[in-house]
Amino acid sequence: MLAALDKYRHAFLVGLQSGLVYRWNFAVRSVFSFIHLAYAFILWGAAFAGQSAIGGFDLRQTLTYFITMLVLQFFISAFNEDYQISEDIRNGLINQFLLKPINYFLYRISVFAAARLVSGLLALIPFVLLLPFLWKYLSFPVDGWRYLLAVPALAMAALIQFTIAYCFGMLSFWFLEIQSFIILSFAIETMLGGQVFPLDLMPPLLYQISKYLPYYYQMYFPTAIITGRLDQATALSGLLLQAVWLVALLGLAELLWRRGLRRHTAVGG
Amino acid sequence: MSFLNYLRVWLACARYSTVRTMMFRFDFIMWSLVELFWMTVNILLVSVIYRHTREIAGWTQYQMLLLVGTSMIMQRLMMGLFWSNLFELGRNIRTGQFDFFLAQPGNPLFMVSTRKLDLDGLLNVLVAVSVVAYSAHQLGLHPGFGDIVTYILLILCGLIIEYGTLLLIVSLTFWIVGSQGIEGSYFTLFEFSRLPKEAFRGASNVIFVWLLPVVLVSNVPSKSIMHGVDARYVLWLLGVTLLWLLIGTTVFRRGLRRYASASS
């Protein structure tokens, strides 16, 4: 059992190294994200002029939502995992996983965990540098339960993000070019994950519908727990739905893997 | 080569792109959907915020929508005409494939910028135009022929500014080879073109409105069609257009002199 885990520990360590190789890509990405944060500050700052609350939250709480989401994103989002998996399939790199006693999904998720650890810590650098400026906009609720529930919510959010990316990568078994699929899903995730605006500001019916979609649990749900946009009962029932989505997506990933391998022909050596 | 020859080269490229699109119809549909969805996201953002507020920096919902639509027209034109070409320019400089363009008997910048057309981007220009037309209708605007011509000319200025900026960004590859992903800063920067100028205060006003052209590109045409032409802003935009085109092409030329092909 321990020996089995050891394989993935090595995968994790390799992931850390390759994460560090791409440190400049992450640095560039975090600079873009903070410029995007300036956009959110200007837009919402202007929207709040002349009123103290939007959807029951003041300007500081709203900006805290965007700042929190931005930082969390570097810890839990799948960035280019779908491309990497797609490349593995197209280049025939997965062939070696078929021959060795290592599970491709677990291998990939170990690398993903390592990469997010690196990107998350790197994103903290600009955040800490900007903290003297951001400080006055931060306003977190004080309820202890929020931080307790945020832990499983964040863990499952990361797994959901990864599994969705994994499923998109699996499409390479059927399609030559999956870039358009990925960008389309990225657009859907960006909006329904709450990165464009807090989902609770949508009309109530749309907000209710979004709650039953997996995207809600990718970013919005953990962020909303931490920044006080959900009450305890909603957070608890949300965790249940999040778990259901996670299991469903894991099932889909396994199904696509099995079906995909049936179509797959290993060429060359 | 004379102007007529360039036009013929461009038409040949356009024909080639059309044929290619016909061959990969599924891709065309997917990419059109992607762009359509991104535009919907921006429109939804406007409608969600205006559920909770009546004005943003003095702009009403349909004024804001007109601004967003204007910004989208420019961005779709960029996507349709230049984005893939300039994106590939960066990649070609890194790999050395750029040699191929230098060997062609024509201005390298022209050859590089016009090789491909993305019909999905151009198709979505129509969607963006209808967003503007719908907003104008809701605002009760009745622009005359002159107003529309001015608006179109100002949009073209914006397109040139965006082209110059992206060319500048991509040309940096001549100096920094490991700059993959730097092209994305174009989207990050021009995101600000969906915001009204009046929302910018203090340092952000200096940086995004006056130093960088990213806010005025969309604000000047939008304001001119809503409130009539303000000569000061129009002149400023014309000046900025020339300036950014000059900066972009100068940096490209300097880079070209540095270019020594990749190891091949």
Short mmCIF file of all heavy atoms in Angstrom, two decimals, chain B residues 103-146:
data_model
loop_
_atom_site.label_atom_id
_atom_site.label_comp_id
_atom_site.label_asym_id
_atom_site.label_seq_id
_atom_site.Cartn_x
_atom_site.Cartn_y
_atom_site.Cartn_z
N ALA B 103 11.44 35.68 -47.07
CA ALA B 103 11.82 35.28 -48.42
C ALA B 103 10.78 35.70 -49.45
O ALA B 103 11.03 35.66 -50.64
CB ALA B 103 12.01 33.77 -48.46
N GLN B 104 9.60 36.14 -48.97
CA GLN B 104 8.55 36.50 -49.93
C GLN B 104 8.82 37.89 -50.52
O GLN B 104 9.33 38.77 -49.82
CB GLN B 104 7.19 36.49 -49.23
CG GLN B 104 6.75 35.09 -48.87
CD GLN B 104 5.49 35.09 -48.05
OE1 GLN B 104 5.02 36.14 -47.60
NE2 GLN B 104 4.94 33.92 -47.83
N PRO B 105 8.47 38.09 -51.80
CA PRO B 105 8.76 39.37 -52.44
C PRO B 105 7.73 40.42 -52.09
O PRO B 105 6.92 40.81 -52.91
CB PRO B 105 8.71 39.02 -53.93
CG PRO B 105 7.73 37.89 -54.00
CD PRO B 105 7.84 37.14 -52.72
N GLY B 106 7.73 40.89 -50.86
CA GLY B 106 6.79 41.93 -50.47
C GLY B 106 7.18 42.47 -49.12
O GLY B 106 8.08 41.93 -48.48
N ASN B 107 6.51 43.51 -48.68
CA ASN B 107 6.77 44.06 -47.36
C ASN B 107 6.50 43.00 -46.28
O ASN B 107 5.40 42.48 -46.22
CB ASN B 107 5.85 45.27 -47.18
CG ASN B 107 6.03 45.91 -45.83
OD1 ASN B 107 6.02 45.24 -44.81
ND2 ASN B 107 6.21 47.21 -45.84
N PRO B 108 7.51 42.68 -45.46
CA PRO B 108 7.33 41.59 -44.48
C PRO B 108 6.15 41.83 -43.54
O PRO B 108 5.41 40.90 -43.22
CB PRO B 108 8.65 41.57 -43.70
CG PRO B 108 9.60 42.40 -44.45
CD PRO B 108 8.86 43.25 -45.42
N LEU B 109 5.96 43.07 -43.11
CA LEU B 109 4.88 43.35 -42.18
C LEU B 109 3.53 43.07 -42.82
O LEU B 109 2.63 42.49 -42.21
CB LEU B 109 4.95 44.81 -41.70
CG LEU B 109 3.96 45.18 -40.60
CD1 LEU B 109 4.14 44.27 -39.39
CD2 LEU B 109 4.14 46.63 -40.20
N PHE B 110 3.39 43.45 -44.10
CA PHE B 110 2.15 43.18 -44.81
C PHE B 110 1.93 41.67 -44.96
O PHE B 110 0.84 41.15 -44.70
CB PHE B 110 2.16 43.85 -46.19
CG PHE B 110 0.92 43.57 -46.99
CD1 PHE B 110 -0.20 44.37 -46.84
CD2 PHE B 110 0.87 42.51 -47.88
CE1 PHE B 110 -1.36 44.10 -47.55
CE2 PHE B 110 -0.28 42.22 -48.60
CZ PHE B 110 -1.39 43.03 -48.44
N MET B 111 2.98 40.99 -45.35
CA MET B 111 2.89 39.54 -45.57
C MET B 111 2.51 38.81 -44.29
O MET B 111 1.70 37.89 -44.28
CB MET B 111 4.23 39.00 -46.08
CG MET B 111 4.57 39.47 -47.47
SD MET B 111 3.22 39.12 -48.58
CE MET B 111 3.95 39.34 -50.15
N VAL B 112 3.11 39.25 -43.19
CA VAL B 112 2.87 38.60 -41.91
C VAL B 112 1.45 38.87 -41.42
O VAL B 112 0.78 37.99 -40.89
CB VAL B 112 3.90 39.13 -40.88
CG1 VAL B 112 3.43 38.89 -39.47
CG2 VAL B 112 5.25 38.47 -41.10
N SER B 113 0.98 40.11 -41.61
CA SER B 113 -0.29 40.51 -40.99
C SER B 113 -1.52 40.05 -41.73
O SER B 113 -2.63 40.09 -41.18
CB SER B 113 -0.36 42.04 -40.87
OG SER B 113 0.81 42.53 -40.29
N THR B 114 -1.37 39.67 -43.00
CA THR B 114 -2.58 39.45 -43.78
C THR B 114 -2.73 38.02 -44.28
O THR B 114 -3.56 37.74 -45.14
CB THR B 114 -2.59 40.37 -45.03
OG1 THR B 114 -1.39 40.12 -45.75
CG2 THR B 114 -2.67 41.82 -44.64
N ARG B 115 -1.93 37.11 -43.74
CA ARG B 115 -1.91 35.77 -44.32
C ARG B 115 -3.25 35.05 -44.18
O ARG B 115 -3.68 34.32 -45.04
CB ARG B 115 -0.82 34.95 -43.67
CG ARG B 115 -0.33 33.82 -44.56
CD ARG B 115 0.87 33.17 -43.93
NE ARG B 115 0.48 32.20 -42.92
CZ ARG B 115 0.20 30.95 -43.19
NH1 ARG B 115 0.25 30.51 -44.41
NH2 ARG B 115 -0.14 30.11 -42.22
N LYS B 116 -3.90 35.28 -43.06
CA LYS B 116 -5.11 34.51 -42.75
C LYS B 116 -6.25 35.43 -42.34
O LYS B 116 -6.01 36.45 -41.70
CB LYS B 116 -4.81 33.63 -41.54
CG LYS B 116 -4.65 32.17 -41.82
CD LYS B 116 -4.82 31.48 -40.49
CE LYS B 116 -3.98 30.27 -40.33
NZ LYS B 116 -3.96 29.85 -38.93
N LEU B 117 -7.45 35.03 -42.68
CA LEU B 117 -8.62 35.72 -42.14
C LEU B 117 -9.37 34.71 -41.30
O LEU B 117 -9.48 33.55 -41.67
CB LEU B 117 -9.55 36.17 -43.26
CG LEU B 117 -9.10 37.27 -44.20
CD1 LEU B 117 -10.22 37.55 -45.20
CD2 LEU B 117 -8.78 38.52 -43.43
N ASP B 118 -9.89 35.15 -40.15
CA ASP B 118 -10.72 34.24 -39.37
C ASP B 118 -12.17 34.64 -39.57
O ASP B 118 -12.63 35.66 -39.05
CB ASP B 118 -10.33 34.27 -37.89
CG ASP B 118 -9.10 33.43 -37.65
OD1 ASP B 118 -9.01 32.35 -38.27
OD2 ASP B 118 -8.24 33.83 -36.86
N LEU B 119 -12.88 33.83 -40.36
CA LEU B 119 -14.24 34.22 -40.73
C LEU B 119 -15.18 34.23 -39.54
O LEU B 119 -16.14 34.98 -39.51
CB LEU B 119 -14.77 33.27 -41.81
CG LEU B 119 -14.00 33.32 -43.13
CD1 LEU B 119 -14.68 32.45 -44.16
CD2 LEU B 119 -13.89 34.73 -43.65
N ASP B 120 -14.88 33.40 -38.51
CA ASP B 120 -15.74 33.39 -37.32
C ASP B 120 -15.71 34.75 -36.64
O ASP B 120 -16.75 35.27 -36.23
CB ASP B 120 -15.34 32.28 -36.36
CG ASP B 120 -13.86 32.05 -36.28
OD1 ASP B 120 -13.24 31.79 -37.32
OD2 ASP B 120 -13.31 32.15 -35.20
N GLY B 121 -14.51 35.35 -36.54
CA GLY B 121 -14.40 36.69 -35.95
C GLY B 121 -15.18 37.70 -36.77
O GLY B 121 -15.93 38.50 -36.24
N LEU B 122 -15.02 37.62 -38.09
CA LEU B 122 -15.70 38.59 -38.95
C LEU B 122 -17.21 38.42 -38.89
O LEU B 122 -17.96 39.39 -38.91
CB LEU B 122 -15.20 38.44 -40.39
CG LEU B 122 -13.71 38.80 -40.55
CD1 LEU B 122 -13.26 38.57 -41.98
CD2 LEU B 122 -13.47 40.24 -40.14
N LEU B 123 -17.66 37.16 -38.78
CA LEU B 123 -19.10 36.91 -38.68
C LEU B 123 -19.66 37.55 -37.41
O LEU B 123 -20.74 38.15 -37.40
CB LEU B 123 -19.35 35.40 -38.67
CG LEU B 123 -20.81 34.97 -38.67
CD1 LEU B 123 -21.39 35.20 -40.06
CD2 LEU B 123 -20.94 33.52 -38.29
N ASN B 124 -18.89 37.44 -36.33
CA ASN B 124 -19.36 37.98 -35.06
C ASN B 124 -19.32 39.50 -35.00
O ASN B 124 -19.91 40.10 -34.11
CB ASN B 124 -18.58 37.37 -33.91
CG ASN B 124 -19.16 36.02 -33.50
OD1 ASN B 124 -20.35 35.90 -33.29
ND2 ASN B 124 -18.32 35.00 -33.42
N VAL B 125 -18.63 40.13 -35.97
CA VAL B 125 -18.70 41.59 -36.06
C VAL B 125 -20.17 41.98 -36.24
O VAL B 125 -20.65 42.95 -35.65
CB VAL B 125 -17.85 42.12 -37.23
CG1 VAL B 125 -18.12 43.60 -37.47
CG2 VAL B 125 -16.38 41.90 -36.97
N LEU B 126 -20.89 41.18 -37.03
CA LEU B 126 -22.31 41.47 -37.26
C LEU B 126 -23.10 41.44 -35.96
O LEU B 126 -23.97 42.27 -35.72
CB LEU B 126 -22.90 40.45 -38.25
CG LEU B 126 -22.29 40.46 -39.64
CD1 LEU B 126 -22.91 39.37 -40.50
CD2 LEU B 126 -22.48 41.83 -40.28
N VAL B 127 -22.77 40.46 -35.09
CA VAL B 127 -23.45 40.37 -33.80
C VAL B 127 -23.16 41.63 -32.98
O VAL B 127 -24.07 42.24 -32.41
CB VAL B 127 -23.01 39.11 -33.03
CG1 VAL B 127 -23.72 39.03 -31.69
CG2 VAL B 127 -23.26 37.87 -33.85
N ALA B 128 -21.88 42.03 -32.96
CA ALA B 128 -21.49 43.21 -32.20
C ALA B 128 -22.19 44.46 -32.74
O ALA B 128 -22.68 45.29 -31.98
CB ALA B 128 -19.98 43.38 -32.24
N VAL B 129 -22.27 44.55 -34.08
CA VAL B 129 -22.95 45.70 -34.69
C VAL B 129 -24.42 45.71 -34.28
O VAL B 129 -24.98 46.76 -33.96
CB VAL B 129 -22.82 45.66 -36.24
CG1 VAL B 129 -23.73 46.68 -36.88
CG2 VAL B 129 -21.38 45.93 -36.65
N SER B 130 -25.04 44.53 -34.21
CA SER B 130 -26.46 44.55 -33.82
C SER B 130 -26.63 44.92 -32.35
O SER B 130 -27.65 45.51 -31.99
CB SER B 130 -27.17 43.24 -34.18
OG SER B 130 -26.31 42.17 -34.13
N VAL B 131 -25.64 44.61 -31.51
CA VAL B 131 -25.72 45.06 -30.12
C VAL B 131 -25.72 46.59 -30.08
O VAL B 131 -26.52 47.22 -29.38
CB VAL B 131 -24.53 44.50 -29.28
CG1 VAL B 131 -24.47 45.16 -27.91
CG2 VAL B 131 -24.64 42.99 -29.14
N VAL B 132 -24.83 47.18 -30.88
CA VAL B 132 -24.76 48.65 -30.92
C VAL B 132 -26.07 49.22 -31.48
O VAL B 132 -26.63 50.17 -30.92
CB VAL B 132 -23.56 49.11 -31.78
CG1 VAL B 132 -23.59 50.62 -32.01
CG2 VAL B 132 -22.26 48.71 -31.11
N ALA B 133 -26.57 48.61 -32.56
CA ALA B 133 -27.80 49.12 -33.18
C ALA B 133 -28.98 49.01 -32.21
O ALA B 133 -29.78 49.95 -32.07
CB ALA B 133 -28.10 48.33 -34.45
N TYR B 134 -29.05 47.90 -31.49
CA TYR B 134 -30.13 47.71 -30.53
C TYR B 134 -30.05 48.76 -29.42
O TYR B 134 -31.06 49.38 -29.06
CB TYR B 134 -30.04 46.30 -29.94
CG TYR B 134 -31.00 46.03 -28.82
CD1 TYR B 134 -32.36 45.86 -29.07
CD2 TYR B 134 -30.55 45.95 -27.49
CE1 TYR B 134 -33.25 45.63 -28.03
CE2 TYR B 134 -31.44 45.71 -26.46
CZ TYR B 134 -32.78 45.54 -26.73
OH TYR B 134 -33.66 45.31 -25.70
N SER B 135 -28.83 48.99 -28.90
CA SER B 135 -28.66 49.99 -27.84
C SER B 135 -29.05 51.37 -28.36
O SER B 135 -29.73 52.14 -27.66
CB SER B 135 -27.22 50.03 -27.36
OG SER B 135 -26.73 48.75 -27.15
N ALA B 136 -28.61 51.69 -29.58
CA ALA B 136 -28.92 53.00 -30.15
C ALA B 136 -30.43 53.17 -30.28
O ALA B 136 -30.99 54.23 -29.98
CB ALA B 136 -28.25 53.14 -31.52
N HIS B 137 -31.10 52.08 -30.67
CA HIS B 137 -32.56 52.12 -30.78
C HIS B 137 -33.20 52.37 -29.41
O HIS B 137 -34.09 53.20 -29.27
CB HIS B 137 -33.05 50.80 -31.38
CG HIS B 137 -34.53 50.68 -31.43
ND1 HIS B 137 -35.29 51.37 -32.35
CD2 HIS B 137 -35.39 49.98 -30.66
CE1 HIS B 137 -36.57 51.09 -32.15
NE2 HIS B 137 -36.65 50.25 -31.14
N GLN B 138 -32.72 51.65 -28.40
CA GLN B 138 -33.26 51.81 -27.04
C GLN B 138 -33.02 53.23 -26.52
O GLN B 138 -33.79 53.73 -25.71
CB GLN B 138 -32.61 50.80 -26.08
CG GLN B 138 -33.02 49.37 -26.30
CD GLN B 138 -34.47 49.11 -25.91
OE1 GLN B 138 -34.99 49.74 -25.00
NE2 GLN B 138 -35.12 48.21 -26.61
N LEU B 139 -31.91 53.84 -26.94
CA LEU B 139 -31.58 55.18 -26.47
C LEU B 139 -32.32 56.24 -27.28
O LEU B 139 -32.24 57.42 -26.98
CB LEU B 139 -30.07 55.42 -26.58
CG LEU B 139 -29.18 54.65 -25.60
CD1 LEU B 139 -27.72 54.75 -26.02
CD2 LEU B 139 -29.35 55.16 -24.18
N GLY B 140 -33.05 55.79 -28.32
CA GLY B 140 -33.78 56.73 -29.17
C GLY B 140 -32.86 57.59 -30.03
O GLY B 140 -33.19 58.72 -30.35
N LEU B 141 -31.69 57.03 -30.39
CA LEU B 141 -30.77 57.80 -31.23
C LEU B 141 -31.18 57.68 -32.70
O LEU B 141 -31.62 56.62 -33.13
CB LEU B 141 -29.34 57.27 -31.09
CG LEU B 141 -28.67 57.34 -29.72
CD1 LEU B 141 -27.31 56.69 -29.78
CD2 LEU B 141 -28.56 58.78 -29.25
N HIS B 142 -31.02 58.79 -33.44
CA HIS B 142 -31.26 58.72 -34.87
C HIS B 142 -30.06 59.32 -35.59
O HIS B 142 -30.12 60.44 -36.06
CB HIS B 142 -32.54 59.49 -35.24
CG HIS B 142 -33.75 58.91 -34.58
ND1 HIS B 142 -34.32 57.72 -34.98
CD2 HIS B 142 -34.46 59.33 -33.51
CE1 HIS B 142 -35.35 57.45 -34.20
NE2 HIS B 142 -35.46 58.41 -33.29
N PRO B 143 -28.96 58.56 -35.63
CA PRO B 143 -27.75 59.13 -36.24
C PRO B 143 -27.94 59.36 -37.74
O PRO B 143 -28.55 58.53 -38.41
CB PRO B 143 -26.68 58.06 -35.97
CG PRO B 143 -27.44 56.80 -35.74
CD PRO B 143 -28.77 57.17 -35.20
N GLY B 144 -27.42 60.48 -38.22
CA GLY B 144 -27.47 60.76 -39.65
C GLY B 144 -26.34 60.04 -40.36
O GLY B 144 -25.52 59.37 -39.72
N PHE B 145 -26.29 60.21 -41.69
CA PHE B 145 -25.27 59.54 -42.48
C PHE B 145 -23.87 59.94 -42.02
O PHE B 145 -22.99 59.11 -41.81
CB PHE B 145 -25.47 59.89 -43.96
CG PHE B 145 -24.47 59.25 -44.86
CD1 PHE B 145 -24.49 57.87 -45.07
CD2 PHE B 145 -23.49 60.01 -45.48
CE1 PHE B 145 -23.55 57.28 -45.90
CE2 PHE B 145 -22.55 59.41 -46.31
CZ PHE B 145 -22.58 58.05 -46.51
N GLY B 146 -23.70 61.26 -41.78
CA GLY B 146 -22.40 61.77 -41.36
C GLY B 146 -21.96 61.16 -40.03
O GLY B 146 -20.79 60.82 -39.85
#
